[in-house]
Amino acid sequence: MVFRARPFSGGARNMADKPWLFRTYAGHSTPEASNRLYKSNLSRGQTGLSVAFDLPTQTGYDPDHVLSKGEVGKVGVPVSHLGDMRALFDGIPLAKMNTSMTINATAAWLLSLYSALAEEQGASLAELNGTTQNDIIKEYLSRGTYVFPPAPSLRLIRDVILFTTTEMPKWNPMNVCSYHLQEAGATPTQELAYALATAIAVLDEVKEAGVEGEVFETTVGRISFFVNAGMKLVTEIAKMRAFVDLWDEITATRYGVKEAKHRRFRYGVQVNSLGLTEPQPENNVYRILIQTLAVTLSKDARARAVQLPAWNEALGLPRPWDQQWSLRAQQILAYETDILEYADIFNGSAVMDEKVAQLKAEALEELARIDEMGGAITAVQSGFMKGRLVEANARRLAAIESGDLVVVGVNKYEGTEPSPLSTGEGSIQVVPEGVGEQAIERLKAWKDQRDQKAVDKALADLAAAAKEDRNIMGPSIAAAKAGVTTGEWGQTLREIFGEYRAPTGVGKAQKSDREGTGIAEVRKSVEAASATLGRRLKLLVGKPGLDGHSNGAEQIAVRARDCGFEVVYEGIRLTPAEIVNAALEEGVHVVGLSILSGSHLPLVRDVLERMRKEGLDDVPVIVGGIIPPEDERELKAMGVAAVYTPKNFDLTAIMADIVRIAEGAGQKAA
């Protein structure tokens, strides 16, 4: 496809553009605590809400489910029923708010709760303005909060789109989400291709439902995207301009959309959390600002909404002040600079045009490859896309290890003065340990006061709609009003659609032939240790709880395999009991637990207690995640052999540690 240059559109404007929506991604502990945070952020000039839900809510469980243990309120707010939604938005008129909800597998349910609350407030659905992320396809590749198999998941996306197109015309029913693809290691080409392949799969599904003509064009116009911006400033700007061109061309040529406004690439952004560093975290302020420029400088490809991570997210949960600091960066950029006063400053740039053309050509090649396979769903089920992401992430990490990719404060210029920003008591927000028990008590009280007959009828109607392929939204809104809980909604659909375990991508990732990073030396030590122990050194990599961020676990599994370990890795979302059972049955020498949700203390404690009961107390346990120093000390006091955090970027050095830990345990056992 030939690159179509944009026309040069002159210099200064008579009137400045309106700034994008200012958001901060927020929610934790309880609906009441999150409500206070939202009101505080709005009072400081935030212009839209971005709701973070906890992992049980994202995966369709109530707080009392076994998999919810330790996870309630940790990475977002728990919303189990309409009462929680009331508390979350108490005093916030939904008809006047632009709300983004980062929710995917349970998007239809949370939108139903939101709609039911809006009607309680006296608002009509047609007034509501906002977005549900609702991109379940990328969950199989990156974030891991999927629930159902791909086909019914695609059907749920379709149902939300068809419902909102007619009933909620201001609502964006889906963010096609490339953000988490970059977090999983995607190159700019992969980010373009895989996001667009997802959008094509969704629009094909809508077409097959019989939507045509003007209604279809309107539907296309409501699809938005949620993207990421990394540190390669020129490349990231070119990527966004390529997205604009490719979306315009795909919607025009593949789907025949005539109205230019419906072909517009509309997107929100959170800049790259993957690149935030634990060492010298104050440097993250500069990273965040540079990444924000990538999605705001080019007028023709400017974001419609921006939410920025806080500088200390690699350390733990940010405080309100940390979120305010990120909000101020947006406000200074929008109101103190002149970037909104000019036409696109990159039009006519030979350098930019060349880079955009290159990215478009590469993305179209990758899209053609996915098309030949049968589309995005087939590429997910076969493990093709996941394997490519694992490989790309492995190359990124290897470049950091070798120093080819410089990360200031991590692998270069490591000397530092102590930071007054990240030391001392209260330097990060801490979710109280008791929020899970409180949520269970609230859940019980909610169930005690509701009309059980109305609940039973609503769940029966929901099940019937699911079985009969009727739109799920009407029965879901009725269920929300009747008092149905998140776990009940999720379980009803699980019984009909089934559950799914996506390919891990570890088996598809090519083996490394790099010897210069110390892999050869570690292979020798693995061989020697295996000979001493009498069998191949075996490592179990486990992800207990609901944390679906599997990138770190996958890279540990791949590097261990490349170093000669026998690796047991069964993917995400395992109970402590399942992990201990696997350790017992597989006869592993070391158990490695990866937890990034902040639930490391209760989950690791549970695993260790179960291992002791099974007589596995001689098998060492190591833990990786976003773990504050005080928690690291507590984990080691429990008996954990080693703790690794984002500062431990040298995976081969970690492999060498594991060999020594296994040998030490073997000598003790002997």
PDB file of all heavy atoms in Angstrom, residues 32 99 101 170 241 263 275 295 322 337 360 419 459 496 502 535 578 590 637:
ATOM      1  N   GLU A  32     -15.718   3.194  48.876  1.00  0.00           N
ATOM      2  CA  GLU A  32     -15.754   4.466  49.604  1.00  0.00           C
ATOM      3  C   GLU A  32     -14.412   5.198  49.509  1.00  0.00           C
ATOM      4  O   GLU A  32     -14.364   6.414  49.267  1.00  0.00           O
ATOM      5  CB  GLU A  32     -16.125   4.228  51.067  1.00  0.00           C
ATOM      6  CG  GLU A  32     -17.544   3.741  51.288  1.00  0.00           C
ATOM      7  CD  GLU A  32     -17.732   2.248  51.037  1.00  0.00           C
ATOM      8  OE1 GLU A  32     -16.714   1.541  50.793  1.00  0.00           O
ATOM      9  OE2 GLU A  32     -18.881   1.772  51.078  1.00  0.00           O
ATOM     10  N   THR A  99     -16.474   8.773  31.857  1.00  0.00           N
ATOM     11  CA  THR A  99     -15.885   7.712  32.672  1.00  0.00           C
ATOM     12  C   THR A  99     -15.292   6.623  31.788  1.00  0.00           C
ATOM     13  O   THR A  99     -15.973   6.073  30.919  1.00  0.00           O
ATOM     14  CB  THR A  99     -16.941   7.072  33.595  1.00  0.00           C
ATOM     15  OG1 THR A  99     -17.536   8.094  34.397  1.00  0.00           O
ATOM     16  CG2 THR A  99     -16.314   6.023  34.496  1.00  0.00           C
ATOM     17  N   MET A 101     -13.680   2.862  31.963  1.00  0.00           N
ATOM     18  CA  MET A 101     -13.596   1.701  32.861  1.00  0.00           C
ATOM     19  C   MET A 101     -12.682   0.654  32.234  1.00  0.00           C
ATOM     20  O   MET A 101     -12.983   0.127  31.156  1.00  0.00           O
ATOM     21  CB  MET A 101     -14.995   1.126  33.121  1.00  0.00           C
ATOM     22  CG  MET A 101     -15.902   2.085  33.870  1.00  0.00           C
ATOM     23  SD  MET A 101     -17.414   1.314  34.517  1.00  0.00           S
ATOM     24  CE  MET A 101     -18.392   1.176  33.030  1.00  0.00           C
ATOM     25  N   LYS A 170     -23.407   7.981  22.883  1.00  0.00           N
ATOM     26  CA  LYS A 170     -22.195   8.726  23.245  1.00  0.00           C
ATOM     27  C   LYS A 170     -21.116   7.822  23.842  1.00  0.00           C
ATOM     28  O   LYS A 170     -20.017   8.282  24.149  1.00  0.00           O
ATOM     29  CB  LYS A 170     -22.531   9.832  24.259  1.00  0.00           C
ATOM     30  CG  LYS A 170     -23.439  10.933  23.722  1.00  0.00           C
ATOM     31  CD  LYS A 170     -23.674  11.978  24.814  1.00  0.00           C
ATOM     32  CE  LYS A 170     -24.586  13.089  24.340  1.00  0.00           C
ATOM     33  NZ  LYS A 170     -24.817  14.095  25.421  1.00  0.00           N
ATOM     34  N   ARG A 241       0.906   8.112  13.915  1.00  0.00           N
ATOM     35  CA  ARG A 241       0.500   8.591  12.596  1.00  0.00           C
ATOM     36  C   ARG A 241       0.198   7.414  11.667  1.00  0.00           C
ATOM     37  O   ARG A 241      -0.712   7.473  10.825  1.00  0.00           O
ATOM     38  CB  ARG A 241       1.579   9.513  12.023  1.00  0.00           C
ATOM     39  CG  ARG A 241       1.642  10.856  12.764  1.00  0.00           C
ATOM     40  CD  ARG A 241       2.893  11.646  12.435  1.00  0.00           C
ATOM     41  NE  ARG A 241       2.906  12.201  11.076  1.00  0.00           N
ATOM     42  CZ  ARG A 241       2.395  13.368  10.739  1.00  0.00           C
ATOM     43  NH1 ARG A 241       1.781  14.115  11.647  1.00  0.00           N
ATOM     44  NH2 ARG A 241       2.493  13.804   9.500  1.00  0.00           N
ATOM     45  N   ARG A 263     -14.260   7.260  10.140  1.00  0.00           N
ATOM     46  CA  ARG A 263     -12.990   6.564   9.903  1.00  0.00           C
ATOM     47  C   ARG A 263     -11.863   7.128  10.771  1.00  0.00           C
ATOM     48  O   ARG A 263     -10.730   6.671  10.706  1.00  0.00           O
ATOM     49  CB  ARG A 263     -12.580   6.665   8.423  1.00  0.00           C
ATOM     50  CG  ARG A 263     -13.593   6.087   7.442  1.00  0.00           C
ATOM     51  CD  ARG A 263     -12.952   5.833   6.087  1.00  0.00           C
ATOM     52  NE  ARG A 263     -12.307   7.023   5.526  1.00  0.00           N
ATOM     53  CZ  ARG A 263     -12.876   7.890   4.713  1.00  0.00           C
ATOM     54  NH1 ARG A 263     -14.142   7.724   4.362  1.00  0.00           N
ATOM     55  NH2 ARG A 263     -12.195   8.925   4.242  1.00  0.00           N
ATOM     56  N   GLY A 275       8.407   0.746  31.225  1.00  0.00           N
ATOM     57  CA  GLY A 275       9.715   1.386  31.284  1.00  0.00           C
ATOM     58  C   GLY A 275      10.008   2.095  32.587  1.00  0.00           C
ATOM     59  O   GLY A 275      11.096   2.661  32.748  1.00  0.00           O
ATOM     60  N   VAL A 295       2.310  11.413  22.167  1.00  0.00           N
ATOM     61  CA  VAL A 295       0.882  11.290  21.828  1.00  0.00           C
ATOM     62  C   VAL A 295       0.159  12.635  21.850  1.00  0.00           C
ATOM     63  O   VAL A 295      -1.064  12.682  21.710  1.00  0.00           O
ATOM     64  CB  VAL A 295       0.175  10.296  22.776  1.00  0.00           C
ATOM     65  CG1 VAL A 295       0.714   8.894  22.568  1.00  0.00           C
ATOM     66  CG2 VAL A 295       0.317  10.717  24.233  1.00  0.00           C
ATOM     67  N   ASP A 322       1.188  11.592  44.486  1.00  0.00           N
ATOM     68  CA  ASP A 322       1.903  11.095  43.311  1.00  0.00           C
ATOM     69  C   ASP A 322       1.027  11.199  42.060  1.00  0.00           C
ATOM     70  O   ASP A 322       1.500  11.558  40.979  1.00  0.00           O
ATOM     71  CB  ASP A 322       2.327   9.640  43.521  1.00  0.00           C
ATOM     72  CG  ASP A 322       3.148   9.449  44.782  1.00  0.00           C
ATOM     73  OD1 ASP A 322       4.058  10.265  45.027  1.00  0.00           O
ATOM     74  OD2 ASP A 322       2.861   8.502  45.542  1.00  0.00           O
ATOM     75  N   THR A 337       2.446  25.426  27.516  1.00  0.00           N
ATOM     76  CA  THR A 337       3.160  25.396  26.241  1.00  0.00           C
ATOM     77  C   THR A 337       2.209  25.824  25.125  1.00  0.00           C
ATOM     78  O   THR A 337       1.015  26.045  25.355  1.00  0.00           O
ATOM     79  CB  THR A 337       3.709  23.984  25.928  1.00  0.00           C
ATOM     80  OG1 THR A 337       2.637  23.150  25.470  1.00  0.00           O
ATOM     81  CG2 THR A 337       4.360  23.353  27.144  1.00  0.00           C
ATOM     82  N   LYS A 360       4.042   1.247   8.443  1.00  0.00           N
ATOM     83  CA  LYS A 360       2.828   0.787   7.773  1.00  0.00           C
ATOM     84  C   LYS A 360       3.098  -0.465   6.944  1.00  0.00           C
ATOM     85  O   LYS A 360       2.328  -1.433   6.990  1.00  0.00           O
ATOM     86  CB  LYS A 360       2.277   1.899   6.871  1.00  0.00           C
ATOM     87  CG  LYS A 360       1.592   3.033   7.609  1.00  0.00           C
ATOM     88  CD  LYS A 360       1.141   4.123   6.667  1.00  0.00           C
ATOM     89  CE  LYS A 360       0.106   3.640   5.682  1.00  0.00           C
ATOM     90  NZ  LYS A 360      -0.342   4.724   4.778  1.00  0.00           N
ATOM     91  N   SER A 419      17.224   9.032  47.511  1.00  0.00           N
ATOM     92  CA  SER A 419      16.099   9.883  47.118  1.00  0.00           C
ATOM     93  C   SER A 419      15.233  10.216  48.326  1.00  0.00           C
ATOM     94  O   SER A 419      14.727   9.311  48.989  1.00  0.00           O
ATOM     95  CB  SER A 419      15.244   9.188  46.061  1.00  0.00           C
ATOM     96  OG  SER A 419      14.037   9.889  45.869  1.00  0.00           O
ATOM     97  N   LEU A 459     -31.134 -14.306  37.107  1.00  0.00           N
ATOM     98  CA  LEU A 459     -30.066 -15.208  36.670  1.00  0.00           C
ATOM     99  C   LEU A 459     -30.575 -16.213  35.647  1.00  0.00           C
ATOM    100  O   LEU A 459     -29.859 -16.573  34.697  1.00  0.00           O
ATOM    101  CB  LEU A 459     -29.453 -15.923  37.873  1.00  0.00           C
ATOM    102  CG  LEU A 459     -28.604 -15.048  38.805  1.00  0.00           C
ATOM    103  CD1 LEU A 459     -28.204 -15.813  40.056  1.00  0.00           C
ATOM    104  CD2 LEU A 459     -27.359 -14.535  38.074  1.00  0.00           C
ATOM    105  N   ILE A 496     -22.216 -21.834  31.050  1.00  0.00           N
ATOM    106  CA  ILE A 496     -22.712 -21.941  29.677  1.00  0.00           C
ATOM    107  C   ILE A 496     -21.570 -21.879  28.665  1.00  0.00           C
ATOM    108  O   ILE A 496     -21.489 -22.696  27.744  1.00  0.00           O
ATOM    109  CB  ILE A 496     -23.742 -20.821  29.397  1.00  0.00           C
ATOM    110  CG1 ILE A 496     -24.963 -21.019  30.292  1.00  0.00           C
ATOM    111  CG2 ILE A 496     -24.147 -20.789  27.924  1.00  0.00           C
ATOM    112  CD1 ILE A 496     -25.838 -19.808  30.424  1.00  0.00           C
ATOM    113  N   ALA A 502      -5.337 -19.894  28.016  1.00  0.00           N
ATOM    114  CA  ALA A 502      -4.670 -19.490  26.777  1.00  0.00           C
ATOM    115  C   ALA A 502      -3.261 -20.068  26.701  1.00  0.00           C
ATOM    116  O   ALA A 502      -2.639 -20.355  27.722  1.00  0.00           O
ATOM    117  CB  ALA A 502      -4.611 -17.961  26.701  1.00  0.00           C
ATOM    118  N   ARG A 535      19.344 -36.169  38.746  1.00  0.00           N
ATOM    119  CA  ARG A 535      18.367 -35.959  37.679  1.00  0.00           C
ATOM    120  C   ARG A 535      18.382 -34.486  37.281  1.00  0.00           C
ATOM    121  O   ARG A 535      18.966 -33.652  37.968  1.00  0.00           O
ATOM    122  CB  ARG A 535      16.962 -36.376  38.102  1.00  0.00           C
ATOM    123  CG  ARG A 535      16.422 -35.670  39.321  1.00  0.00           C
ATOM    124  CD  ARG A 535      15.133 -36.334  39.816  1.00  0.00           C
ATOM    125  NE  ARG A 535      14.645 -35.744  41.058  1.00  0.00           N
ATOM    126  CZ  ARG A 535      13.815 -34.717  41.132  1.00  0.00           C
ATOM    127  NH1 ARG A 535      13.347 -34.177  40.014  1.00  0.00           N
ATOM    128  NH2 ARG A 535      13.421 -34.238  42.298  1.00  0.00           N
ATOM    129  N   GLU A 578      -3.107 -25.784  43.995  1.00  0.00           N
ATOM    130  CA  GLU A 578      -2.721 -26.352  42.700  1.00  0.00           C
ATOM    131  C   GLU A 578      -1.218 -26.262  42.483  1.00  0.00           C
ATOM    132  O   GLU A 578      -0.594 -27.186  41.945  1.00  0.00           O
ATOM    133  CB  GLU A 578      -3.465 -25.626  41.571  1.00  0.00           C
ATOM    134  CG  GLU A 578      -4.949 -25.958  41.511  1.00  0.00           C
ATOM    135  CD  GLU A 578      -5.722 -25.074  40.546  1.00  0.00           C
ATOM    136  OE1 GLU A 578      -5.338 -23.885  40.384  1.00  0.00           O
ATOM    137  OE2 GLU A 578      -6.709 -25.552  39.961  1.00  0.00           O
ATOM    138  N   VAL A 590      13.070 -26.428  42.899  1.00  0.00           N
ATOM    139  CA  VAL A 590      12.840 -25.052  43.331  1.00  0.00           C
ATOM    140  C   VAL A 590      11.454 -24.628  42.859  1.00  0.00           C
ATOM    141  O   VAL A 590      11.039 -24.965  41.745  1.00  0.00           O
ATOM    142  CB  VAL A 590      13.894 -24.078  42.749  1.00  0.00           C
ATOM    143  CG1 VAL A 590      13.603 -22.635  43.179  1.00  0.00           C
ATOM    144  CG2 VAL A 590      15.305 -24.478  43.173  1.00  0.00           C
ATOM    145  N   ALA A 637      11.694 -13.697  56.219  1.00  0.00           N
ATOM    146  CA  ALA A 637      11.438 -14.211  57.572  1.00  0.00           C
ATOM    147  C   ALA A 637      10.501 -15.410  57.534  1.00  0.00           C
ATOM    148  O   ALA A 637      10.577 -16.301  58.391  1.00  0.00           O
ATOM    149  CB  ALA A 637      10.849 -13.102  58.450  1.00  0.00           C
TER     150      ALA A 637
END
